[in-house]
Structures are given as C-alpha cells and as structure tokens.
C-alpha cells in the first residue's frame, strides 16, 4: 500500500524525462540534486527596510522615526537591515544576492489580491487555481513540500504535493487506512490528499514538539538533503503588514526579518554540503510606501526587494534597474517603483533548480507572458 | 427529508434530540431573536475585558520593561506573573468553551452558525493578544445583537467597535484636512492617514474589489473614518493606565473635513461635530446598498452555508431578499436558510471547527470541563485549555486568523495532506484514550439515523471496519467532511 518515496520520485522523474528529454537519471544526478526553497513573506515586506537605499539621505528625511540605523554594509548604494546578519554572512561568502525595485505586476495594493497573484503568478486575482511553483513542479516532474498546515496556493498544481507541520497525532490502523483509501475515490481532492498522506516517509511521521520556524527549517533541511527527498520547500512568515509600530532596527518589521534570517541560517546549517546546490528565495505581495505614517508605520506600496541565498546564487550583488526614490521617481507619487517583473526572477530560479529550459517554463507556467531570462545573471548555471 | 440540512446550517442532531418535523421552521425560528446563553460558568463583559487587557498592556509596557530593563530573566518571570493575574492564558479557552457550548448545547445552533460566519467576515486578526482578551466578547456583544438588525447597523457597529478600530489601526489616522493636522503643520510635522481600516472596510467588509474602487476611494474612505479612535477625548493629567484599551470615541480634531469622493459619490460635510460624526454612517449606508456589496456578501453566505460554487439562481435569491428587505438581516438569513434547505443535496466541505462541533454534538463526546473558574495566580490547568490545543491541532483557532480576511470557505484551502491528517489523527487519539468507547453499534446507528439519509450505505461501509474503529471511520468519512 505504501509508496516508497524513492521509488515515487525516480518513477515520476524518469517518466517525465524519458518522455521529454533524452536524459537518463543516474546516481550522479541524484548526488547533485538541486533544491528550491521559497519563503513567502505575507503582509508586504518593505524592501526599503530590508535593503535600504543609502546613496542619499532621502530615507532619513521621510522616515525620521523608523529609519533603520546600524546597517550592515552591502555596497555604496545599498545596506542591509541589521536583523539580517545571517544573510549578511552569506553575502560575504558570495552565497547571497538581492533583486531590488521589483514586484509582481500588480498595483492594486490589496493584500489578498496581491497574495493570490504572487502565488498564482497570474495577472487577474483568483483566476488561476494553481500556483506558479506547483505548475513548475508539474513541468519538471518533481515533488514539493510545504512546511505549513494549509497547502499554499503557490504549491498547488496537478501533481500531488505534500504539506507537513509537526504534531503528536498518529494515523489509525492499516485496516481503516485501506478502507478510507477507497472510500474517498469519488472525491478527487480528498483522495489526492489522503494518497499523499499515506505515502509519507517514516521520518515525517515522527514529529518534534517544537513548531517554531527554526524547527520547521530544520525539518525542511533534512528532507531536502535526502537524495530521494523533495526538491522544493515552501515556508510562510506572517506579519509584515506594519501600518503601525514598524519601528527601526528593533521594530516589528525587524523582528519579522529576523525570522527570515534564521530560516536562511538554519537551512544553511542543516543542509550542510547540499546548501551549495540550493536556492532560497523570498516572495511577497508588494512593498510599502516610502513615507512613514503617523503610527510609525508605512502603507501598502508597490516595488520591493527579493532576498536570494544559497550556493546556486551567482555572486553577491544587488541586481536592480534602480528607479530612484525622489518624488518624481515614485510610483503614483508614493511608492518605490518596480522596474522588473519579479516573475522573471522566479521563472529563472525554477529553470536553474529544476534543470528545465527557461522558455519551456515561461510557456507552461506563465503563459502569455514574456519574461526575462535572468538565469545567467543571477545564478550559477 | 434531507437530514444533511441540520449539519449544513447547524451542527447536526444529538442522540437525545428528535428530528424536527419542519426543519425550515426549526431553523428560521432560531435567527429571529438573540438566544439566551446556555453557559452557566464564568463570563466577563467586553468592558471588563478591556480592563484586563489594559492592565496587561500598561503593566507590561510601562512598568515591567522599565523595572527589569537590566535583567531579561527577571522581566520574563514578572511578566509571566502579570499574565496569570490578567488571565492572559485563561480567556481564550474560556471564550472558546462558551462558543462551543452555545453551538453544541445551546438552544439556537443555527444562530450560532450565523454568528460564526459574521465573526469571520469581520475577523480580528491575530494581533496584540486580542484573541486572548477581546474577540470572544466582541462576537457576543457587538456582532450577535446587530445580527437582528439591518446590514447597515451591523457594518457600522463593527466598524466603530474597539476591536476593529484597534485591529485596523484607525486610531493612528489623522485627516490631512483636520485641526490636528494644521497643528502638526505649524510645528513642521506632517500628519497623515492610516489607510488600513478604510481599505478593508471597502475590500473585505462591504463592496469588495469587484466594485472597482481606486486608491483615491481608499484615501477618501480613510478620511471619512478619521477621528474614530480609542483615545480619551480630553486626557486628564492623570494617566489612565490602560494604554489603547479605552473606549472608542469620535474626536473631531482628528477628523478630515472633506469633501469626500467614495465610489463616484461626493459627500460634503456640513458644519458641526454631529455632521462630522454622522458622515461615516452616511457612507456605510451607501456602501451596503452598492450592488457589488450585495452580491459579494450574498455569495459569501451561499459559499459558507450551501456550496462553494453556488448557481446564479441560489445567489440571486439572496440578493433579491437583500434588495427587497433593504438589508434586513433576519430576512437575508432566512433566505439563506430557505436556499440551504432547497439545495441541501449540494455538498460543502466543512471548516475544521464546524466539523469538530458537529462531531462533538453528534457523538455526545465528553468535551466540556466541569469547572472553568480560574485562580488568576497560576498557569491554567491543562484540562481547561484542551479546547485550544484541539483547535490548534485542527489548524483553526477561530479567534486568531492570521490575516484580516479571516478563514477561507473553500475546500482547496482546507484540503491538504496535513489538514486531513489532523482530523483523522484527533479522532484516533480520542479513540486511543477511550473517549469514544460509548459509541457502540446502537449509539452509532442512532447517530446515523438522525443525521444521514444514506443509512444503509453508511452501515455497509462501517461493517468493513475492524478494531473498534467504526466511530473514527464514520467521522472521517466523506459524508461527514462534506455536508
């Protein structure tokens, strides 16, 4: 009854590759298994707080109470929030980069429409019922794992993805499992979830007590590290919607960035040598306004930044067609503009991590969109 | 008769109940008046809760952090004690047990289902421990009574409630054309709006993005809302020692004087505090008449109670009831019930908490603690906190959705391997602890006969099950998960 994960992975990969590409799966490919980790930052991460523009003193003027001090050096134009110290270490070892002034092509400033689009990869909210990562996984014939209790839209596709969150609960007897397996036959979603549930590896049936992000990152790291484990993992960090008390280095936004930072950190430690074949990338619905409000926070904006870490990052760089943050440069006179469709970054990331042609992914995952192939600019190809 | 109706709009029937001869009448009679609370344990008012929450906030932020600024360990110890004294860990389970008791043992489960719906529509996201103190009483005291009025009253009362004003930061908003903004300008400071509440009032609570509002509409809606804040109007020299936990007032000094343009209509404010104060009500009155609002909320009600993909016929019936009654909630709810009855064969995947309550009611599970009193000195005992652990395991702590759009009504958002595992796993854990031992064959037969139409199909299904797992099988069956 139980499908062994190794067999399943090999089976599905071989099937797809043999149908589409003249390649054979061999042990050296498995040894070089590449992983993609996406950290979703819900609530709109402020790109100007995480990676402030320091070339002039605009930020100090417009954000007198929340401008971040004691920044970490990146280059002459940009610095890094001090809570991203782990990420900064990666930067120093050429394992981290930043894409700035970017966003999905959405300007409506609604969290929920924005989050739907950042996950679906579409342009009309709620139109697509699957996520860009799920569709990418389908194209590449891989497996994904979400470290969250719900299954995020991002990972939904045709294939059977898994989600996991630690608990002390256990399954009923095999007799009942077998009965339920057939019982759900005429309910496609129930069946899909149940089939995935009963094919979990043993390691995922024993849970630690602790459910914090560090533990989740550790679980993800150890699953991704396995040659026959999933190649994609998704995390969620909530609470970036800082209309009030956004604060400076120690404020609310900083605390959230700290969580992102230790996710990078724990993944690096847990993945060990496999970190060199891994890419960790952030995703958020939009950025925040340039100017602070009365509550020491910021409002919904447009352009933001993407953090990238891992051995697959080409080099330490802030990649941006920087629009500037003077009044005349702002989107609708209030937000950092976006000069790069963030989906180009994500499509390129999938192309590298899934060893799949960029154009194929562009066509299948983001149909009707002409995205830029950034694989050679951002990643080790 | 389609017995799934009792689960579609309620929590099913317990084994001691009889099948109502007129299910529709049974359901409609429950939404016509505010049900008397069945709960006989401790209960606190919203006013009292704001004192508890205020004490916690003030003591933590102003006293303990200063006093123990050099010792994090001592600070944590003192804060823990403060948390006990203010019931920080006690109130959420208490509110949950009260909510669950009203659903399972109360006289009006259908009313409770509507209360759960509106509580989720006007969700208070997980923020500032509001789930610990305020959300339960906010549901009971703000939402429940307004459910018997007009939709306009409900939206207005929620909008100016302390919980929502604080949740969506309206206190931080200053109208750019307000006396306060002019004072700021004189001092060389800028005062600006906080758009959070204005935006969500349009997007989540009334017209939805389908209305095609623009950023300017959001800004003007926020201007209309400016001045509604939790702040004592004339602060005396004596510190009130409650931080933000003070009642909401309309303070004209912070209110923008307009004019306002919201969704194509111009609103000009006449002179005086009364006119300024009434502007929000005027705008809400128009918002709830907007066809986009009527369609958005009607469809959401159908999604929640009937099916996630309701036909135009179903939604239009609710829309028409809304329009004809000019937003009378009793009429709107009654139409939802009529449609749910008429289309009770349509299936809807149940949210985890609804499924849990149906399971508790139908199984007669020994679930409620005998005593929910608390000493306010020590950690709350595990048995009194069980409800929170169960809800957390199921992935739905109803008073703390992570985002202001509340919990989803869609199967895709609830059906994942882990979510499904949690339901089956909880049943399995209860069985292993002997909590389902009373569910013998005759008990299960009674449950099935009261709550399902396909009695013989279910019985045949259960005959295949060994190891005394029939109850686990029944409550994890597709007939229970989708109603």
């Amino acid at each position: 009854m139980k499908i062994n994960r190794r067999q399943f992975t090999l089976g599905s990969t071989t099937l797809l590759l043999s149908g589409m590409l003249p390649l054979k799966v061999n042990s050296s490919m498995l040894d070089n298994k590449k992983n993609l980790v996406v950290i979703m930052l819900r609530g709109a991460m402020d790109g100007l707080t995480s990676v402030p523009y320091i070339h002039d003193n605009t930020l100090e003027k417009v954000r007198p109470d929340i401008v971040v001090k004691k920044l970490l050096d990146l280059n002459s134009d940009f610095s890094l929030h001090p809570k991203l110290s782990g990420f900064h270490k990666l930067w120093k070892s050429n394992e981290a980069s930043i894409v700035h002034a970017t966003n999905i092509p959405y300007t409506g400033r609604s969290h929920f429409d924005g989050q739907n689009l950042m996950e679906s990869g579409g342009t009309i909210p709620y139109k697509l019922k699957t996520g860009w990562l799920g569709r990418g996984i389908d194209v590449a014939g891989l497996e994904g794992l979400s470290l969250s209790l719900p299954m995020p839209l991002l990972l939904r596709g045709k294939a059977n993805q898994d989600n996991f969150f630690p608990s002390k609960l256990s399954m009923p007897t095999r007799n009942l499992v077998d009965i339920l397996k057939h019982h759900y036959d005429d309910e496609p979603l129930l069946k899909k979830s149940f089939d995935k549930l009963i094919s979990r590896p043993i390691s995922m049936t024993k849970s630690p007590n602790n459910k914090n992000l560090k533990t989740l990152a550790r679980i993800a790291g150890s699953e991704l590290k396995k040659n026959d484990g999933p190649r994609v993992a998704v995390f969620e960090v909530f609470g970036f919607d800082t209309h009030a008390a956004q604060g400076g280095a120690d404020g609310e936004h900083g605390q959230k960035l700290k969580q992102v930072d230790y996710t990078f950190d724990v993944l690096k430690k847990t993945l060990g040598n496999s970190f060199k074949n891994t890419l960790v990338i952030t995703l958020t619905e939009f950025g925040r306004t340039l100017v602070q409000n009365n509550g020491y926070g910021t409002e919904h904006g447009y352009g933001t930044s993407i953090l990238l870490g891992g051995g697959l990052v080409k080099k330490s760089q802030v990649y941006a067609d920087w629009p500037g943050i003077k009044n005349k440069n702002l989107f609708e006179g209030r937000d950092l503009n976006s000069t790069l469709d963030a989906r180009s970054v994500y499509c390129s990331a999938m192309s590298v991590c899934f060893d799949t042609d960029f154009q194929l992914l562009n066509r299948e995952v983001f149909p009707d969109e002409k995205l830029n192939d950034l694989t050679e600019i951002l990643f080790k190809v | 008769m389609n017995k799934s109706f009792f689960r579609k709009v309620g929590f099913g029937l317990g084994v001691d109940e009889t099948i109502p001869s007129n299910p529709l009448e049974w359901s409609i009679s429950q939404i016509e008046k505010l049900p008397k609370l069945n709960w006989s344990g401790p209960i606190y008012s919203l006013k009292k809760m704001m004192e508890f929450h205020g004490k916690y906030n003030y003591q933590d932020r102003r006293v303990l952090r200063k006093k123990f600024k050099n010792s994090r360990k001592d600070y944590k110890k003192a804060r823990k004690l403060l948390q006990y004294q203010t019931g920080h860990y006690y109130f959420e389970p208490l509110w949950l047990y009260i909510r669950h008791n009203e659903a399972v043992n109360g006289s009006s489960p259908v009313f409770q289902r509507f209360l759960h719906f509106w509580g989720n529509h006007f969700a208070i996201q997980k923020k500032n421990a509001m789930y610990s103190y305020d959300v339960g009483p906010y549901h009971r005291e703000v939402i429940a009574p307004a459910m018997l009025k007009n939709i306009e009253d409900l939206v207005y009362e929620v909008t100016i409630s302390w919980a929502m004003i604080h949740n969506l930061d309206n206190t931080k908003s200053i109208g750019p054309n307000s006396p306060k903004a002019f004072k700021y300008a004189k001092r060389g400071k800028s005062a600006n709006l906080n758009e959070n509440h204005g935006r969500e009032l349009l997007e989540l609570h009334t017209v939805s993005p389908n209305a095609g509002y623009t950023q300017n509409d959001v800004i003007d809606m926020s201007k209309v809302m400016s001045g509604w804040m939790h702040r004592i109007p004339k602060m005396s020299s004596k510190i009130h020692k409650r931080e933000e936990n003070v009642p909401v007032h309309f303070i004209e000094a912070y209110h923008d004087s307009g004019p306002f343009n919201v969704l194509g209509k111009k609103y000009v404010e006449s002179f005086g505090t009364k006119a300024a104060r009434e502007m929000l009500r005027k705008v809400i009155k128009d918002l709830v008449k907007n066809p986009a609002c009527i369609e958005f909320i009607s469809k959401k009600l159908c999604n929640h109670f009937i099916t996630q993909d309701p036909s135009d016929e179903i939604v239009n019936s609710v829309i028409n009831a809304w329009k004809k009654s000019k937003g009378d909630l009793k009429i709107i709810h009654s139409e939802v019930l009529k449609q749910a009855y008429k289309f009770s064969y349509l299936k809807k995947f149940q949210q985890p908490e609804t499924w849990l309550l149906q399971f508790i009611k139908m199984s007669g599970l020994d679930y409620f603690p005998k005593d929910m009193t608390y000493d306010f000195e020590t950690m709350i005992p595990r048995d009194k906190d069980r409800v929170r652990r169960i809800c957390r395991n199921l992935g739905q702590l109803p008073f703390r959705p992570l985002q202001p759009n509340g919990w989803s009504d869609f199967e895709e958002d609830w059906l994942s391997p882990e979510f499904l595992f949690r339901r089956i796993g909880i049943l399995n854990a209860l069985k292993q602890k002997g909590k389902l031992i009373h569910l013998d064959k005759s008990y299960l037969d009674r449950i099935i006969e009261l709550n399902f139409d396909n009695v013989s199909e279910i019985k045949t299904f259960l005959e295949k099950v060994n190891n005394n797992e029939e109850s686990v099988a029944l409550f994890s069956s597709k007939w229970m998960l989708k109603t």
Side-chain angles (χ1 to χ4, degrees):
Chain A
M1 180 265 314
K2 190 161 177 166
I3 302 167
N4 175 283
R5 184 172 285 262
R6 173 177 273 269
Q7 286 167 356
F8 182 71
T9 313
L10 279 171
S12 58
T13 312
T14 312
L15 183 71
L16 185 92
L17 292 175
S18 60
M20 296 177 66
L21 295 164
L23 285 174
K24 283 182 184 169
V25 176
N26 56 40
S27 59
S28 68
M29 273 183 72
L30 285 174
D31 288 342
N32 289 316
K33 171 176 165 274
K34 291 177 186 167
N35 302 308
L36 176 60
V37 180
V38 181
I39 310 176
M40 289 195 283
L41 313 177
R42 296 196 188 272
M45 191 267 278
D46 183 22
L48 290 170
T49 289
S50 55
V51 187
Y53 181 64
I54 49 151
H55 192 77
D56 60 31
N57 59 356
T58 309
L59 277 179
E60 282 169 35
K61 281 186 193 159
V62 296
R63 295 180 166 192
D65 303 297
I66 61 169
V67 71
V68 183
K69 306 271 170 59
K70 295 181 185 165
L71 294 164
L72 305 168
D73 290 340
L74 292 181
N75 59 28
S76 58
D77 292 329
F78 297 96
S79 286
L80 194 65
H81 193 286
K83 294 287 182 212
L84 291 170
S85 56
F87 185 81
H88 193 240
K89 276 186 204 154
L90 297 178
W91 172 276
K92 285 198 270 192
S93 59
N94 260 328
E95 289 180 307
S97 65
I98 289 146
V99 178
H100 217 323
T102 180
N103 194 25
I104 54 166
Y106 169 69
T107 57
R109 300 193 183 97
S110 151
H111 286 302
F112 316 107
D113 287 2
Q115 287 177 22
N116 180 272
L117 293 178
M118 81 175 187
E119 293 183 64
S120 73
T123 50
I124 300 169
Y126 305 104
K127 191 178 170 194
L128 293 173
K129 304 294 178 201
T130 54
W132 57 260
L133 189 57
R135 295 195 297 277
I137 288 172
D138 285 344
V139 172
L142 304 170
E143 284 198 340
L145 170 70
S146 173
L147 276 296
S148 61
L149 192 41
M151 175 67 78
L153 172 65
L154 178 68
L155 203 52
R156 291 181 204 161
K158 282 190 203 134
N160 221 353
Q161 309 306 343
D162 203 356
N163 74 321
F164 173 73
F165 204 69
S167 80
K168 284 181 180 171
L169 300 171
S170 61
M171 287 291 276
T173 63
R174 194 178 182 116
N175 165 263
L176 183 52
V177 168
D178 285 344
I179 290 168
L180 288 174
K181 185 171 159 53
H182 297 293
H183 173 68
Y184 297 140
D185 274 348
D186 54 351
E187 289 289 345
L189 265 178
L190 260 172
K191 182 170 173 48
K192 191 170 150 180
S193 298
F194 194 72
D195 285 352
K196 192 75 203 175
L197 175 61
I198 58 180
S199 63
R200 278 182 173 173
I202 295 291
S203 58
M204 276 170 61
T205 61
K206 289 177 191 163
S207 291
N209 243 337
N210 208 333
K211 300 175 182 82
N212 62 31
L213 208 54
K214 274 184 189 167
T215 312
L216 295 178
R218 227 170 274 135
I219 294 168
S222 55
E223 290 299 319
L224 292 168
K225 205 159 113 177
K226 295 175 190 164
N227 276 336
D228 56 354
R231 282 176 55 168
V232 180
V234 175
F235 290 89
E236 294 179 286
V237 183
F238 288 80
F240 281 91
D241 191 23
T242 44
H243 286 273
Q246 176 165 318
D250 292 320
E252 198 58 35
H253 224 80
Q255 295 306 322
K256 295 294 161 190
L257 289 173
K258 182 78 199 155
Q259 292 187 14
V260 177
D261 191 63
Y262 62 62
T263 308
F264 275 100
D265 201 41
V266 173
L267 281 170
K268 180 174 168 64
K269 281 177 189 147
T270 319
L271 277 161
N273 207 29
S274 300
F275 194 67
K276 73 174 195 302
N277 286 325
T278 297
L279 176 67
V280 187
I281 188 164
T282 63
L283 170 70
T284 192
E285 63 260 43
F286 39 74
R288 310 195 66 82
T289 48
L290 176 73
V291 181
Q292 76 170 61
N293 62 21
N294 291 320
Y296 303 131
T298 48
E299 302 293 337
H300 301 181
Y302 181 34
T304 185
S305 58
I306 298 173
L307 307 177
L308 303 100
L312 293 175
V313 166
K314 186 174 185 180
K315 59 177 182 182
S316 303
Q317 60 174 329
V318 179
Y319 180 75
D321 176 7
W322 188 245
I325 51 172
K326 298 286 182 205
N327 268 344
K328 60 180 183 190
N329 311 124
L330 299 176
F331 176 72
E332 293 184 348
R334 53 180 267 163
D335 310 327
L336 171 66
N337 212 337
S338 164
T339 52
L340 171 68
D341 186 338
R343 297 175 305 169
S344 294
V345 181
Y346 301 119
C347 194
S348 304
M350 286 195 289
S351 172
V352 169
C353 295
F354 300 170
D355 289 313
T356 304
D357 178 51
F358 177 87
Q359 299 304 338
L360 173 68
L361 283 164
N362 189 167
R363 229 175 19 250
E364 298 291 322
V365 178
F366 303 100
D368 308 321
E369 306 287 343
K370 179 81 190 87
L371 302 177
N372 293 333
D373 184 354
L374 302 171
T375 46
E376 294 195 5
I377 296 170
L378 297 175
F379 308 113
K380 282 178 190 150
V381 183
Chain B
M1 179 187 289
N2 198 327
K3 296 174 198 162
S4 66
F5 179 68
F6 303 114
R7 276 175 290 140
K8 231 172 170 48
V9 301
F11 302 98
L13 298 176
V15 289
D16 300 331
E17 291 180 289
T18 48
I19 298 173
S21 56
N22 186 335
L24 197 53
E25 204 177 281
W26 166 84
S27 63
I28 291 174
S29 68
Q30 295 180 41
I31 54 158
E32 290 178 334
K33 57 180 191 299
L34 194 63
K36 205 175 156 217
L37 272 185
N38 173 282
W39 180 255
S40 56
I43 190 161
Y44 300 81
S45 66
L46 185 54
K47 195 176 164 205
K48 187 74 190 161
M49 288 322 299
M50 285 172 63
E51 284 174 24
F52 276 112
H53 198 175
K55 181 181 173 187
Y56 174 71
N57 281 338
Y58 180 80
Q59 290 289 327
D60 178 40
R61 294 175 197 164
R62 310 285 167 199
V63 180
L64 301 187
R65 285 182 204 188
K66 273 185 197 160
K67 192 172 172 185
F68 299 106
K69 65 181 178 191
N70 296 324
S71 169
R72 185 143 185 88
K73 203 175 151 193
D74 290 342
Y75 162 68
K76 278 188 167 177
K77 208 172 148 189
R79 192 180 61 174
K80 195 64 120 186
L81 202 64
L82 175 65
Q83 285 172 334
Y84 298 156
Q85 287 165 356
T86 57
H88 196 79
Y89 300 104
Y90 166 59
F91 290 115
E92 188 187 17
L94 177 65
W95 304 147
L96 284 169
Y97 272 130
I98 293 174
R99 173 180 164 108
H100 288 187
N101 181 63
E102 296 316 303
V104 173
N105 301 321
S107 58
S108 304
V110 179
F111 185 94
Q112 301 305 327
R113 280 293 300 271
F114 278 96
L115 179 57
H116 294 190
F117 171 84
W118 287 113
N120 191 50
H121 181 77
F122 296 110
I124 302 296
Q125 73 202 91
K126 185 181 171 188
K127 175 177 175 179
N128 295 152
M130 289 169 78
Y131 54 84
S132 269
Y133 297 95
D134 318 293
V135 185
Y138 153 77
H139 283 192
R140 282 198 310 276
E141 295 181 29
V142 178
I143 297 180
M147 278 166 50
L148 302 169
K149 300 179 186 173
N150 192 287
I151 181 79
E152 177 197 327
D153 301 308
L154 176 61
V155 174
Y156 180 73
E157 281 162 33
V158 165
T159 303
I160 61 162
S161 67
W162 178 84
M164 197 57 83
I165 291 281
H166 182 49
N167 182 38
L168 295 174
D169 306 311
N170 208 54
T171 293
K172 318 273 183 191
S173 197
I174 303 176
N177 199 13
S178 67
K180 201 76 186 174
F182 296 137
K183 272 191 186 171
Y184 268 51
K186 273 187 194 167
R187 280 185 265 146
K189 280 175 76 181
S190 64
N192 39 34
L193 287 166
N194 193 302
E195 296 166 12
N196 205 10
H197 200 164
R199 183 184 301 278
E200 304 306 15
L201 176 61
L202 293 175
E203 179 175 345
L204 298 177
H205 301 164
T206 58
V207 295
S208 85
N210 295 338
Y213 54 78
T214 63
Q215 176 62 28
N216 287 337
D217 289 315
V218 172
I219 290 173
D220 276 24
M221 188 67 241
S222 308
K223 286 181 183 172
V224 171
M225 295 197 58
S226 57
W228 287 97
M229 49 220 306
H230 47 62
R231 189 182 289 239
I232 294 174
K234 284 178 185 164
M235 181 84 92
S236 64
S237 55
K238 193 178 152 197
I239 299 168
H240 60 72
K241 295 188 177 178
R242 281 169 61 184
E243 294 291 289
E244 66 268 23
N245 302 80
V246 292
V248 167
H249 293 272
F250 177 73
I251 306 177
E252 201 182 351
Y254 292 82
H255 179 66
D256 197 280
S257 57
F260 318 102
N261 272 296
V262 181
L263 290 165
K265 185 168 174 181
K266 191 170 180 183
Y267 298 85
V268 181
E269 210 163 84
S270 46
F271 185 73
T273 308
K274 194 174 172 222
R277 191 186 160 87
E278 282 174 0
M279 184 50 72
L280 176 61
R281 179 123 207 170
K282 260 189 195 173
V283 178
I284 287 177
K285 197 180 185 77
D286 288 333
L287 289 178
V288 298
K289 276 194 230 157
N290 188 301
C293 175
I294 299 175
E295 191 185 338
F296 167 59
I297 298 181
S298 299
K299 193 166 181 191
K300 200 170 168 185
L301 279 159
C302 296
N303 287 147
H304 184 78
F305 287 98
I306 304 168
T307 181
Q308 70 175 49
D309 194 16
S311 64
D312 289 347
E313 182 196 344
I314 299 174
V315 180
N316 285 338
S317 305
V318 181
I319 289 174
N320 291 337
W322 183 313
K323 285 181 180 166
K324 265 190 194 165
S325 69
K326 296 183 175 156
D328 184 327
L329 282 164
K330 279 192 230 168
I331 307 282
I332 296 169
H333 292 163
S334 168
E335 188 58 35
V336 172
L337 293 172
K338 285 177 193 164
Q339 294 303 315
Y341 188 59
K342 188 174 169 188
F343 293 96
S344 50
Y345 58 88
L346 294 174
K347 299 285 177 225
K348 164 76 206 302
F349 191 80
Q350 299 296 307
Q351 288 181 345
E353 190 201 21
T354 313
W355 169 87
L356 171 73
L357 293 170
Q358 291 171 347
F359 156 62
I360 292 167
K361 173 142 188 162
M362 289 160 65
S363 69
L365 182 77
D366 177 17
Y367 175 74
F368 296 96
K370 303 279 173 283
D371 171 24
M372 265 307 280
T373 54
Y374 177 56
D375 62 9
F376 292 94
E377 286 173 7
T378 52
M379 189 62 191
I380 175 173
R382 273 180 71 79
D383 65 316
K384 294 181 185 180
D385 193 31
R386 189 162 63 122
V387 61
R388 193 167 55 171
R389 290 197 303 279
I390 292 178
C391 289
R392 174 175 280 144
N393 259 321
L394 285 171
Q396 191 184 15
L397 275 159
F399 297 138
R400 35 173 138 170
L402 293 169
Q403 303 205 87
N405 57 343
W407 302 101
S408 168
D409 261 320
F410 296 99
E411 183 175 7
E412 295 82 358
D413 296 320
W414 289 114
L415 250 180
S416 71
E418 189 67 33
F419 264 139
L420 184 58
F421 170 59
R422 298 304 178 91
R423 297 199 195 191
I424 300 172
I426 280 179
L427 293 172
N428 192 42
L430 288 168
K431 191 230 156 208
Q432 285 174 346
K433 285 180 184 168
K435 294 268 186 186
L436 305 182
I437 205 155
H438 64 292
L439 298 175
D440 57 14
K441 188 173 180 311
S442 65
Y443 203 109
L444 285 174
D445 284 351
R446 173 85 180 135
I447 293 175
I448 296 163
E449 274 150 24
L450 279 170
N451 288 285
F452 299 92
D453 290 306
N454 55 337
V455 173
S456 58
E457 189 186 6
I458 297 177
K459 287 184 178 174
T460 311
F461 163 70
L462 293 183
E463 276 166 16
K464 291 186 276 181
V465 180
N466 302 327
N467 310 310
N468 298 320
E469 288 184 306
E470 290 84 351
S471 51
V472 179
L474 174 64
F475 292 108
S476 32
S477 72
K478 60 187 174 190
W479 306 299
M480 260 311 280
L481 296 169
K482 290 185 87 164
T483 297

